[in-house]
Amino acid sequence: MANFFLSNHSLKKENILKIWCIFPTKRSGLFFKHYIKEKNKKLSAGFLPKILSFEEFIENLYTLLLDKPFPKIPTILRLFILLEAAGQKEEDFNKFFNWGLKFLEVFEEFEKEGRIPEDLLYPPEGLPEIAKKLFEELRKTYEKFSALLEKKEFSYPSYRLKKLAETFRNNSLSNKNLFEEINEIWFIGFAALRKAETEIFKFFKNNFNKTFFIFEAYEPIPQIIQNTLRALELEPQFLDSKYYENLNSKAKPRIYFYETSDLHLEVESAVKNIPDEVKNPDEVAVILPNSLSLLPLIYGLENKENNLEINITLQYPITKLPLNQLLNNIIKAQKERNGKFYPVRSYLKVIKHPYLKALTLDSGLPLEFLIKEIEKLIREKGYIKIKLSEIENWFLNQKDFLEKLHRIFFRNWEEIEAPIKLAENLKEFISFLKPLFENLKADNSDWHNVLLRNYLHVLENKILSIFEEESYLKEKKISKAILLEILEYLLKEESIPFIGDPLKGLQIMGFLETRLLSFKKVIILDVNEGILPPSPSFNPLLTDEIKHYLGIPVYKNELWVYYFERLIQSAEEVHIFYLFVEKSKTQDFKEPSRFIHKLKWELEKNNEKPESKIINLELNILSQRDGIPKTQEDRKNLIKLLQTTEISRYFLETYLRCGVQFYFKYLLKLKEAEKIGLKPVDVGNFLHEFFESFFKSLEGNNYLIKNIYNENEVLKNLELLWNKYEFNRKMNALSHFFSKKIAIESIKKYFDYLIKLEEKKVKNNKVLGVEKVLILKEKINFLDSFKDFSGNQIDVILKGICDFIIKREEGIPKYLILDYKSNPNTRPATKKIKELFDFKLPGDFSQEAIYEVADAFGQKLYNFQLLFYYYLFYQKKDKFIEEPKGCFYIINAGFITPSDLETPEKFIFTSTNVKNRDWPKVYNYFQNDFKHLIEWIINHLLFSEKFYFAFDENVCKFCEYQAPCKNFKYLL
């Protein structure tokens, strides 16, 4: 192209200044200028033609030809003009927002065709009324919209295109400067022109003697180029071969295909194909049809040994950038705010952002320390919603700072009444974070800094200016909801540019930027269906059916096919990468593009085997360990722990459930993170405290529930206690309503159950203990030798806190050890009891042995708690049993589950597993045998080789130590 141009023109002559060369993109124009200069290196000075992209060409014509050109406005402001034209109220903006954007696309399509829209009398079914009405009055609405646009003196690209086409069509050139500015014009590399574009091109063809149309195509000429030639009424003529360089040596491109399932593997392999040095801009290009692959590629290139010069031409979407996510979190917090309350998750998402955590307090301490303390306190309280003032009052020594933090990130956004206020909020937001950004302007070594700096430029110059400077928006009083909707839209739509020398080094570009360009080596990533060709964004107002009806051209993938084939054919070496992923829980299905199938088919048709390589993900199969080995140091610590700790049922249960969990909790003393919101223990504590307050005053006394129960008094106390636990702050409104209702009904029903029990068989009750502490000193014999400990036994203290110990007279005296449970499904494994009496303790301390012992207590080890408390009670029974020796009585243990309305009391010993004649056997077991079981568990704790993983993996689902556990299980 440059050779052909220079064969007719000299850069020494000044008249070349009146030659305009129009290209589809800026990039192709820059390369053309580069080639012209390269071929005139010996020329010390000269002139260049005016080289413009099509966008710049329209801009120049619009400014030159119209008497009063209007400035361009962003899409969001056009939406307000459409709202006015459609007769919608501004309070309906949110409802109108998305459909308004879709209709602006409809208007643009008509403007590119140089037409005024026609009404669609029978809109498609399924559209909302607002969309149907706009379709039915499409022409009228557009005419009002255009009139308002002219009145307010605004314009935008497709509107300018339509205005120019009308000007040329009507031959209404009042300004004749065009013929003085241009002597000759070249249109280079255009295809699939819209009607407005065609009219403009034909105007120059018909009114200028020297008008050149250059197309790039191989034989046979693609259909899309033939259609363009026909529209412009041109007869094609191929350039003479003398203008081509290396034409004789030009061979078919060497094409290599790479399949992988992982983006990072794809990038890593692509980087290996990039040479260490790239001298000329047309040597190597990496093409990214998916801009989200840009950052992985940049970081991959940073690992190359040589410092390679890079030029990035494509724009990166700002949605993935951390600062953008922080602003979106602020908006989300406002949308979810309820009065003065913010959802805790939304609040924490804002203040825990990495940029805030990187700041420092006035004292010089990292802000992260204060944020951790705030989160810790919120989690401890279990709140799911929080007031800013509460947090400020918790930390009075940092109150001034917290008020400032809350003002900038929360309170400023609560009452926004005008665009200028939102602009001020954004300024203060940027200013607060300025200490973090102040060193970025000088630092180009880190891509993160470059991205952040460019993002700030977009924020200050493209987004902030809309709210601060745009006169149309500035004059309006707009609700906070609408302003936040606008800001959210802008934060989603904008993208950031990269700065680089466009004519040096490795070229990284988007697919459409390759038009008219040729490279020796081309590397294309993400050649997947839906990416290349891309899946068009769906607009229900511009379906193919509607386009046909309205007379708007329908393009499938013709342009993409043409650009792809042209790029491949112009290269010497092509490396095509694609992802192939079967659909799974973590990844979407990805398949190779139809372009790849076609290329491979063409190669095979010519008896050529496609050069394909599958890049497999290297997986190290990690051997799963059965536990964490116990060292001698661990055993010493265990001995010390046993001697200094009161051993609870939970201590032993934890070891039975999972030795690794025991290791983390009791040896390493790792604390579990407090969960946000209601915790299971909250409901349990509430239940315990309620019944403790009711029965504590009865301790040591005889009573009947029917004589002391006062429902109004009970409900009053329940209400006070419920409020004390602040359940309304720990649950959402619906959960709180039902939970409270269930709690009230459950407790009422439980008292009803007790009264009915008295009517049937209970003659008297006596409270023997509420939250009763039972302590037992035991000597535990070592069943194995322990060289670092003198002696063959250890003294331990067993301790249990029984919620409720009661004596019931039912003909036979019954001593009941009861524990309150909030879960209605909690029940003893009664079938396991008979097996337990005949259970033989294993003869070793293996993994299988501890699993066998744990299994003896049933699922979730519910039996262990009751049997452990039973044992402590039985050893101390003389303090409780009132019957003289020789009298028959029953000791039982069970759970009270008030929310189980059918069976609120569930006992471990029932008439099915223990008959009256069997009770002596039960008592004998707790007198002589249960201690051996405790002894065996403690010996296993000391002498087994490892802390073994859980015998029931369902336990892991709710374990607080999942992350470190996996490391020990598979990695360490």
Side-chain angles (χ1 to χ4, degrees), residues 437-444 453:
F437 307 147
E438 58 188 7
N439 297 321
L440 298 181
K441 289 188 178 178
D443 185 5
N444 286 309
R453 191 171 60 248

Side-chain angles (χ1 to χ4, degrees), residues 503-539:
L503 299 172
K504 283 186 181 178
L506 174 71
Q507 303 294 309
I508 300 176
M509 51 180 60
F511 182 75
L512 288 177
E513 292 168 301
T514 65
R515 285 176 285 180
L516 294 176
L517 303 182
S518 299
F519 302 92
K520 289 180 181 178
K521 178 186 272 192
V522 171
I523 300 167
I524 316 176
L525 301 185
D526 303 317
V527 186
N528 282 86
E529 197 64 22
I531 295 176
L532 196 65
S535 300
S537 58
F538 178 68
N539 184 343

Side-chain angles (χ1 to χ4, degrees), residues 73-241:
I73 58 167
T75 302
I76 200 71
L77 296 189
R78 281 192 275 150
L79 194 58
F80 277 96
I81 297 172
L82 176 58
L83 187 75
E84 193 176 338
Q88 298 290 321
K89 296 175 182 177
E90 281 185 14
E91 50 264 34
D92 296 329
F93 181 87
N94 282 354
K95 185 170 64 176
F96 184 80
F97 185 80
N98 288 316
W99 288 108
L101 290 172
K102 301 295 183 190
F103 270 101
L104 288 177
E105 289 179 34
V106 174
F107 288 174
E108 286 175 10
E109 287 296 310
F110 276 102
E111 285 161 352
K112 288 172 185 175
E113 291 301 300
R115 293 172 48 206
I116 292 175
E118 296 297 330
D119 296 339
L120 189 63
L121 298 179
Y122 303 103
E125 293 294 325
L127 291 180
E129 287 305 313
I130 192 170
K132 287 181 180 179
K133 186 182 177 189
L134 278 172
F135 256 140
E136 290 166 358
E137 300 176 354
L138 198 57
R139 184 184 184 97
K140 177 183 168 184
T141 304
Y142 180 76
E143 286 173 345
K144 279 187 180 179
F145 171 78
S146 298
L148 281 169
L149 201 68
E150 294 281 336
K151 181 182 176 182
K152 297 173 189 298
E153 300 185 345
F154 293 138
S155 69
Y156 53 92
S158 61
Y159 191 78
R160 289 180 170 191
L161 185 71
K162 181 182 80 88
K163 293 292 286 185
L164 285 172
E166 286 173 357
T167 302
F168 290 141
R169 188 189 311 135
N170 301 330
N171 202 19
S172 55
L173 284 178
S174 56
N175 189 332
K176 303 296 181 183
N177 289 340
L178 186 63
F179 297 97
E180 296 171 11
E181 290 278 336
I182 306 173
N183 282 343
E184 184 178 319
I185 189 163
W186 294 56
F187 295 104
I188 304 156
F190 289 91
L193 296 173
R194 303 299 293 269
K195 283 186 181 176
E197 296 166 344
T198 303
E199 286 188 62
I200 293 170
F201 282 25
K202 286 176 80 171
F203 170 84
F204 283 93
K205 170 179 170 270
N206 297 331
N207 290 278
F208 286 77
N209 293 327
K210 292 186 177 180
T211 303
F212 294 85
F213 293 91
I214 310 294
F215 301 92
E216 186 175 17
Y218 295 87
E219 290 191 272
I221 297 173
Q223 188 61 49
I224 200 156
I225 298 297
Q226 291 185 40
N227 295 343
T228 307
L229 290 166
R230 195 178 302 114
L232 293 170
E233 299 173 357
L234 297 171
E235 287 296 325
Q237 180 182 345
F238 282 93
L239 285 181
D240 195 292
S241 60

Side-chain angles (χ1 to χ4, degrees), residues 795-849:
D795 292 325
V796 300
I797 296 174
L798 304 180
K799 178 183 176 180
I801 302 176
C802 301
D803 293 345
F804 194 34
I805 302 175
I806 185 175
K807 177 186 176 184
R808 282 184 186 163
E809 293 285 354
E810 298 179 12
I812 299 172
K814 290 185 178 179
Y815 291 87
L816 307 176
I817 307 144
L818 296 163
D819 193 79
Y820 297 110
K821 297 293 182 186
S822 56
N823 184 347
N825 297 316
T826 303
R827 62 185 64 247
T830 52
K831 291 181 181 179
K832 287 279 184 181
I833 289 300
K834 284 186 178 180
E835 298 172 19
L836 187 66
F837 294 142
D838 300 320
F839 182 72
K840 290 186 179 180
L841 290 167
D844 60 22
F845 300 126
S846 64
Q847 181 183 25
E848 291 75 19

Side-chain angles (χ1 to χ4, degrees), residues 666-725:
Y666 291 102
L667 245 59
L668 297 188
K669 300 191 184 303
L670 298 181
K671 290 184 179 179
E672 65 174 297
E674 294 278 0
K675 295 177 175 63
I676 292 173
L678 185 71
K679 305 170 187 64
V681 70
D682 292 336
V683 180
N685 288 343
F686 166 78
L687 201 60
H688 282 72
E689 190 170 341
F690 173 79
F691 283 111
E692 182 183 2
S693 66
F694 183 87
F695 286 109
K696 191 70 177 174
S697 61
L698 299 173
E699 199 165 8
N701 297 318
N702 295 308
Y703 67 93
L704 287 171
I705 292 291
K706 62 184 178 182
N707 296 333
I708 62 171
Y709 176 65
N710 182 322
E711 185 172 297
N712 291 334
E713 191 68 25
V714 164
L715 293 179
K716 178 185 172 184
N717 292 334
L718 190 149
E719 180 74 24
L720 290 170
L721 189 62
W722 187 269
N723 293 336
K724 174 188 168 184
Y725 273 80

Side-chain angles (χ1 to χ4, degrees), residues 321-336:
L321 299 182
L323 197 57
N324 201 72
Q325 290 169 349
L326 176 55
L327 278 169
N328 274 310
N329 290 341
I330 290 171
I331 294 169
K332 188 170 185 282
Q334 290 305 317
K335 288 186 173 182
E336 294 179 349

